[in-house]
Amino acid sequence: MRLQITCIPGDGIGPEIVREAKKVLEKVAKVYGHEMVFTDILMGGASIDAYGVPLTQEAIETAKAADAVLMGSIGGDPTKSPWYQLPPDKRPEAGLLGIRKALNLFANLRPAVLYEELAAACPLKEEISKAGFDLLIMRELTGGLYFGERKTVVENGLRKAIDTLTYDEGEIRRIAIKGFDIARKRRKKVTSVDKANVLDSSRLWRKVVEEVAADYPDVKLEHMLVDNCAMQLVKDPSQFDVILTENMFGDILSDEASMVTGSIGMLASASLNDTKFGLYEPSHGSAPDIAGQDVANPIATVLSAAMMLRYSFDLDEEAKAIEEAVRQVLKDGYRTGDIFSEGMMRVGCSQMGDLLAERIR
Ligand code: NAD
């Protein structure tokens, strides 16, 4: 298969971690007989330095022409970098918002996996963490409260702020379909999270999700109120497979879920549109504090590349091979600094990439 991939190395540790992900993908291509064509584009600070803007139209067109986009991370240290002297729409993060919009990426996927070997980093009690967990938060990314009309007015001498939360059934249906499709590739369970005891938008959410569920009789659906879900994530995260939810609830729950894994350098993510196209990137930022030192953990980016193979190319076996390589490297005792513990072997970013690539056979 010919895979056309646009890469955005980005800023900080971005170029280092993307280089290792490419290394692993090239090994996958060799072992499984695929052709991978990589084209790099600039975004964020790197694009500001080269072109004066965080994202050019040409970069957008290159991304659109590919089958998928693999990204490192963008941004610098907001307290030190001159990029943050620019107006907000010219700063690195504007590039990310711009590309998400241009590519119509409405579904955000964040897996949270607790690896047995890293269980010590999990802040939960051992009796909870010992069951392990492997869940995925599917968050609606372009609607809801963050995109509703907002204003601040003065009424009767009092300042009053208004934010509006709207969802139409089309927006709910397309994310629900994504959620059920992805559950089919996993353990076939969807927990739809809402606040249907209070919000009209949640009541519509629940109805539409049930309508979509009728087309997926093999996937189990349950509903959960968001406050309960926040508790269940720390009480028993192993009960979850796919958590399907709207924008703001997903924003909060996905940070909570990543926190309970205890290791930021391990967390992948994806943003999808209604075709197979997606943008894949680690959940962490550009870590300017460790950039250029060859100490960053590339695993989150490598696992994002595995998600790309699974969701944009339907190459499930190849995706599993990458995930298995990650498990094997951890089992063999290799750790980058962020996940290092006594008795393990400390390796740098590029060595970690080599070790992962070696384990794709
Ligand atoms: P960060 O995730 O970059 O770093 C937080 C801490 O985690 C740092 O100590 C860093 O060294 C460490 N860390 C992060 N990733 C690591 C890895 N792979 N291996 C080892 N250690 C790692 O968050 P921050 O410091 O708040 O943000 C830095 C910059 O990244 C900011 O400009 C921010 O806007 C940007 N950012 C970008 C994205 C994105 O591109 N999607 C996401 C979040 C933050």
Side-chain angles (χ1 to χ4, degrees), residues 13 17 71-78 84 93 96 100 264-265 281-290 295-298 338:
I13 59 170
I17 54 183
M71 184 173 123
S73 189
I74 52 116
D77 181 340
Y84 295 90
E93 287 68 19
L96 191 55
R100 282 187 178 148
I264 192 171
E281 57 173 323
S283 293
H284 58 73
S286 61
D289 53 331
I290 56 165
V295 295
N297 186 349
D338 58 314

Side-chain angles (χ1 to χ4, degrees), residues 78-95:
T79 62
K80 294 185 192 147
S81 165
W83 299 327
Y84 295 90
Q85 307 297 321
L86 296 166
D89 64 330
K90 296 276 184 314
R91 290 182 193 169
E93 287 68 19

Side-chain angles (χ1 to χ4, degrees), residues 109-115 133 135 254-270 281-285 297-304 307 338:
L109 282 68
R110 278 187 40 189
V113 180
L114 182 66
Y115 292 89
F133 55 85
L135 61 91
S254 58
D255 268 17
E256 184 188 2
S258 51
M259 198 46 227
V260 296
T261 69
S263 30
I264 192 171
M266 304 286 298
L267 298 168
S269 88
E281 57 173 323
S283 293
H284 58 73
N297 186 349
I299 293 181
T301 317
V302 169
L303 290 171
S304 304
M307 290 179 83
D338 58 314

